[in-house]
Amino acid sequence: MNDYAGQHEVISENMTSLITGELTRYVQELKQERKSHFHDGRKAQQHLETCWKQLEASKRRFERDCKEADRAQQYFEKMDADINVTKADVEKARQQAQLRHQMAEESKAEYSSTLQKFNSEQHDHYYTHIPNIFQKIQEMEERRIVRIGESMKTFAEVDRQVIPIIGKCLDEITKAAESIDHKNDSQLVIEAFKSGFEPPGDVEFEDFTQPMKRTVSESSLSNSRGDGKSEPKFGGKSKGKLWPFIKKNKGAGPEDFSNLPPEQRRKKLQQKVDELNKDIQKEMDQRDALTKMKDVYIKNPQMGDAASVDHRLAELGQNIEKLRLEVQKFEGWLAEVEGRLPMRTEQARRQSGLYEAQNTSAVNSCAQDRESPDGSYTEEQSQETEMKVPATDFDDEFDDEEPLPTIGTCKALYTFEGQNEGTISVAEGEMLYVIEEDKGDGWTRIRRNEDEEGYVPTSYVEVYLDKNAKDVYKSLQKISE
């Protein structure tokens, strides 16, 4: 599977270098070329619009001059027909009419010239400039199409190069699948996770008619459970082994995330360490900048007072020291978790969902591996605690025979991929049945149907509890206790 995935990585790398990178650069070039062509088109359009505006202005001026010439001619004729007007006034009106007619002729000539120029520009625009621009755009698009075809051929060649290797990988995967021994796998799981319980002996008859001191039978269940000295771990972990998320909450959000399963705790601690390191780097960058500024002030006192940054430098030094102490603290917790995870304790193995094949020595030593290094997940209890609940853990081995009653419904707010043992995958918006409330550990037990049930994070669902069912559920819990 790793080799199969590696070949896909080879395909991805070759596609990135030979196709994606080249196409990205080519697309940028096309954008610039396309932008240039559209700029030329807008420029040609604006030039034609300018010529049209000049033609309209010339036309209106010619029209205005013609109307004024007509009015001047009419005024002259009126003055000439009036016997009361002097000859000087008539001559003046005649000259004015001639001037207006001359201006109209000039406007007519200018309008005619502007019209011819516009028609020529319009012809060039629609028959030369715009077709050339469209031709360039078409050629650009055709080059783009050819380039895409070449990229597709490159992709096919990249894929074809790894097909023989992928074929070998698939043959090996098939061979490995055919070599699976399910019986042996089942036996490995049984050896690794068996409870270690011994079936109890017969309960002896106690005769209350005789005045004798009654003693507990050595073969009784309560005695076998309470004998903490001979078998200190007897019946210790059945509950945790079946459902690793059922554990007592140590508090609301402890600083070391000890309320989380090991792998989730490791991720949270690593995330916290990374955040603190970023903060340290930020503070150090500020300190370096202020140190350079101080050196500049020392060399050039006229630019500023070097002593003015000392207080801030001291604060940054204190902040860095505090952050480093925090990093050391979280790194200590992280090292503790990472030191525990490779040991593959029984609960960590179930929580992380890793089911690796175990050799004979690992199976023989599984009893010693059941204790977690810091005791966070160890359910080993004192003799007094075991005597208080002599049969509860034993009965839990057979809880799966009787399905828990539903105590309400819930709606999935987000999609959750249940990859760990005991969890269940849900899709956003899905409605399911609630069969066990969150006990403070951040997990709610739900059921989809008779064959599918498991745990989901409480923050991923919106729970609607049935009050009557909840009361019955609590009553059943008290009775079982």
Side-chain angles (χ1 to χ4, degrees), residues 196-220:
F197 285 137
E198 292 292 338
D202 295 337
V203 178
E204 297 180 359
F205 177 76
E206 300 182 22
D207 191 354
F208 288 94
T209 61
Q210 301 295 329
M212 58 180 289
K213 183 178 180 180
R214 295 184 298 277
T215 59
V216 179
S217 171
E218 293 181 356
S219 62
S220 67

Side-chain angles (χ1 to χ4, degrees), residues 253-258 261-270 272-273 276 325-341 373-374 376:
E255 187 181 14
D256 62 350
F257 306 108
S258 58
E263 184 62 24
Q264 295 183 26
R265 183 187 180 197
R266 184 190 67 78
K267 291 181 180 178
K268 285 286 186 180
L269 290 172
Q270 185 64 55
K272 186 67 175 179
V273 169
L276 290 172
L325 291 175
E326 286 288 309
V327 169
Q328 292 177 2
K329 179 172 64 175
F330 281 95
E331 283 181 345
W333 289 329
L334 181 61
E336 173 188 343
V337 175
E338 291 179 341
R340 178 167 68 243
L341 285 178
D374 62 349
S376 299

Side-chain angles (χ1 to χ4, degrees), residues 235-300:
K237 288 192 172 184
S238 63
K239 189 70 174 180
K241 300 301 287 300
L242 288 176
W243 300 108
F245 299 108
I246 301 178
K247 56 182 180 290
K248 294 182 179 179
N249 191 12
K250 293 187 175 182
E255 187 181 14
D256 62 350
F257 306 108
S258 58
N259 61 319
L260 298 176
E263 184 62 24
Q264 295 183 26
R265 183 187 180 197
R266 184 190 67 78
K267 291 181 180 178
K268 285 286 186 180
L269 290 172
Q270 185 64 55
Q271 181 181 354
K272 186 67 175 179
V273 169
D274 293 342
E275 291 176 357
L276 290 172
N277 284 329
K278 288 182 181 179
D279 293 339
I280 290 175
Q281 187 61 42
K282 189 183 299 183
E283 296 289 325
M284 291 177 66
D285 292 342
Q286 293 185 23
R287 185 182 65 180
D288 293 343
L290 286 176
T291 302
K292 292 180 181 178
M293 185 184 297
K294 182 178 179 180
D295 293 340
V296 172
Y297 288 168
I298 292 174
K299 294 178 182 178
N300 302 284

Side-chain angles (χ1 to χ4, degrees), residues 74-83 85-86 89-90 93:
Q74 292 175 4
Y75 180 72
F76 165 69
E77 292 175 355
K78 180 180 178 181
M79 294 288 289
D80 189 39
D82 191 351
I83 58 175
V85 179
T86 61
D89 291 336
V90 173

